[in-house]
Every structure is written in structure tokens, then in C-alpha cells.
Amino acid sequence: MQLILISGLSGAGKSVALHMLEDLGYYCVDNLPTGFLARIILLYQKYNYQRIAISVDTRSAPMLSQLPAAMSSLRKHGFDVRLLFLDAQDATLIRRYSETRRRHPLSQQGLTIPECIAKERDMLGDLHSLGHRIDTSALSANQLRSWVRQFADADTAPLTVLFQSFGFKHGVPLDADFVFDVRCLPNPYYDPTLRPLTGQDEPVAAFLAQQATVEQMYQDIHQFVHRWLPQFNHDNRSYLTISIGCTGGQHRSVYLAERLSRAFPNEQVLLRHRQLPPAQE
């Protein structure tokens, strides 16, 4: 049985993720108290459900502290348990609540929206370190659905390495474990013929491949990841996110993320481009 747990900040996209998993054939449960997790999994196992998705968040706050132990216990019994933690920048969450005019789950305590967000972050603590964290600040609903599908389809592995490109002008991703700034490299943006293209297009790739500094940057990042990857494997970590950033997230960072994603054939690797639309991923 595969169990995907969805948690994270209110307004970060948990409903979108849960609906996507439902469309993929998962039996979905929203807002299940952690104390009932093992019980409901055994019940679903009895009726031969193979794919379950459960949302766990601060609405069941008193039991959240039980989640790490519950996940560990289920894994020891042979279940494929994954945690997807959705996050977003405070300004993004405030804007979303303002646009939708929805109440924050903690607002009944007389708190303002910023105060609710701060308290919720504190309540969730380091839960994101138990699984895969996605910063949805700059994502469209379609992008998030695409990334949730990718997460669900990934094979079970001790460690998954995620290479993602992004643009600094859109903000540094909250989910990055390492950030490499490649804005110092020659920029195809200044060539009118290359400007509308991306780092996935052959003319841009050919231009960047001819630059000695681009090759040196690639080699430096590759050597760093290659050298330290075994240590992260030994650290019992599930995901390692390597973020490559250029100015707009269209050319240099995309090119390097693409190359790096192909450079570790013996690892489970995911590739994402934060600033490209889903059709180009």
C-alpha cells in the first residue's frame, strides 16, 4: 500500500494537491487526526485499498506531535509512506486569503492573518523535514498539480535528488536545501534571437555550452553534489533539493538544471523549472 500524507500551511495548496491525487485514483481523506492514522490504514488494507492520500494539518493540532512516530511505525510494517509538505511565503499566503476572503483555520482565536500564519508555522515546526517540501509561492494550480503527479509517480528510493531552476527576481524558493547563484554567467537574454527561447532549446544550450565559465560552474556544482551525496544518503534524508538560480529562471538556470539532472543516472532524480509553464517542463 502507498500512503501519501499532505501537510503544510493553510492556503499553500493542500486542497489542490489532494484533489489531484483523487484524480490519480487515490482514496483521499481530508483533515484526519494523526491518532487515527494507523487504525484507518489497517481498515483500508482489509478492503484492499492500494493507494491512500490523507491530509494532516493544524486543524488536528493536538495530535500533530504523533505524526513522526506514526510514519515510522507504518514504514516498519512495510507501507510506502511519503509526506508532501506545502509551503509559501507569508506575503503570498496573505494575498491568497485576501483574494478568496476565506477564514484562516486559526482566525477564531482572534488573531490577524499574519499572526495566524506565524502561529501555524510554529505549530508545524520541523514537519517539512520529514518529507518533500514544495514552495508554492510562484506556482500556478496547473504547475502544482503537475509536481504532485511527479511526486506520486516517483519510485521508492532512500534519497531523491531534485534539481530545480528558478529566477531570483521571483524570490528564492523556500524548499531549497542548496542554492547556486549563476547570474554571473553570460546571459542569452541579451541576444535577441535567444531571448524568447529557454535553456531547454538547442540554440540556447549551444550558446551556453561554448562558454568556459558556464562549463566551470557546471563542473563545480556537479563535483559538490557528487562529493556530498553519500553523506546525505547516510543521513536518512528522503529528499535533497538543489536550486539553480539566474535572473529570470529562463535560460542559464534551466540549462544547468537540465544537465545536472542527467549527470546522476544511478540516483532517483527529479527535475523542475519553477519559472517555466507546465507544458515546457
Side-chain angles (χ1 to χ4, degrees):
M1 178 188 290
Q2 183 188 71
L3 169 64
I4 293 181
L5 299 171
I6 300 175
S7 190
L9 277 293
S10 302
K14 296 193 298 294
S15 295
V16 173
L18 199 64
H19 290 157
M20 181 68 229
L21 291 171
E22 188 173 32
D23 291 343
L24 293 174
Y26 284 76
Y27 190 88
C28 297
V29 181
D30 187 23
N31 189 27
L32 180 75
T34 307
F36 296 109
L37 188 57
R39 192 180 308 174
I40 199 170
I41 291 304
L42 291 175
L43 179 63
Y44 289 149
Q45 186 181 37
K46 177 181 178 181
Y47 291 100
N48 202 32
Y49 286 95
Q50 295 302 311
R51 300 201 294 178
I52 311 296
I54 296 176
S55 173
V56 179
D57 54 45
T58 52
R59 290 173 291 177
S60 56
M63 296 186 180
L64 270 180
S65 61
Q66 302 175 22
L67 186 59
M71 291 174 61
S72 177
S73 176
L74 288 169
R75 284 170 176 156
K76 287 179 181 177
H77 285 84
F79 294 100
D80 174 10
V81 182
R82 310 180 189 187
L83 174 67
L84 180 63
F85 187 95
L86 301 181
D87 201 348
Q89 297 172 2
D90 287 4
T92 300
L93 295 173
I94 293 170
R95 174 177 54 79
R96 288 174 181 172
Y97 272 101
S98 175
E99 290 173 350
T100 62
R101 299 185 182 276
R102 293 185 57 201
R103 290 171 59 87
H104 192 281
L106 302 180
S107 61
Q108 68 269 22
Q109 301 178 19
L111 304 176
T112 64
I113 292 297
E115 290 171 339
C116 289
I117 294 170
K119 182 171 182 178
E120 189 173 39
R121 285 196 187 280
D122 183 61
M123 293 170 67
L124 292 170
D126 295 327
L127 203 60
H128 60 79
S129 64
L130 299 177
H132 180 39
R133 183 184 184 194
I134 295 181
D135 177 5
T136 69
S137 303
L139 300 185
S140 66
N142 279 339
Q143 280 180 305
L144 179 55
R145 283 190 283 266
S146 175
W147 291 16
V148 170
R149 177 190 289 273
Q150 188 184 63
F151 173 79
D153 290 343
D155 294 331
T156 301
L159 177 68
T160 297
V161 184
L162 167 63
F163 291 101
Q164 69 174 355
S165 66
F166 74 95
F168 274 96
K169 71 179 184 179
H170 302 286
V172 177
L174 295 174
D175 50 15
D177 292 306
F178 292 99
V179 176
F180 292 94
D181 184 350
V182 301
R183 288 176 291 183
C184 59
L185 302 178
N187 193 350
Y189 177 85
Y190 295 110
D191 184 329
T193 62
L194 301 180
R195 183 176 301 171
L197 304 178
T198 77
Q200 294 176 318
D201 295 313
E202 180 56 33
V204 173
F207 169 84
L208 292 171
Q210 295 172 0
Q211 311 299 320
T213 52
V214 173
E215 182 62 25
Q216 185 60 58
M217 179 69 79
Y218 166 78
Q219 292 296 337
D220 286 347
I221 298 174
H222 178 271
Q223 289 172 18
F224 175 85
V225 177
H226 179 75
R227 174 177 296 177
W228 290 104
L229 200 52
Q231 297 300 318
F232 287 106
N233 265 309
H234 294 156
D235 194 38
N236 295 320
R237 171 189 292 257
S238 298
Y239 285 84
L240 180 68
T241 301
I242 313 294
S243 296
I244 318 294
C246 60
T247 304
Q250 180 179 337
H251 298 107
R252 296 164 291 181
S253 60
V254 171
Y255 168 78
L256 287 169
E258 290 275 344
R259 280 192 65 184
L260 288 162
S261 72
R262 298 190 295 267
F264 297 89
N266 297 323
E267 305 291 339
Q268 167 134 301
V269 173
L270 298 180
L271 172 66
R272 293 176 183 163
H273 299 302
R274 184 165 292 267
Q275 262 55 75
L276 299 189
Q280 293 179 259
E281 291 191 332

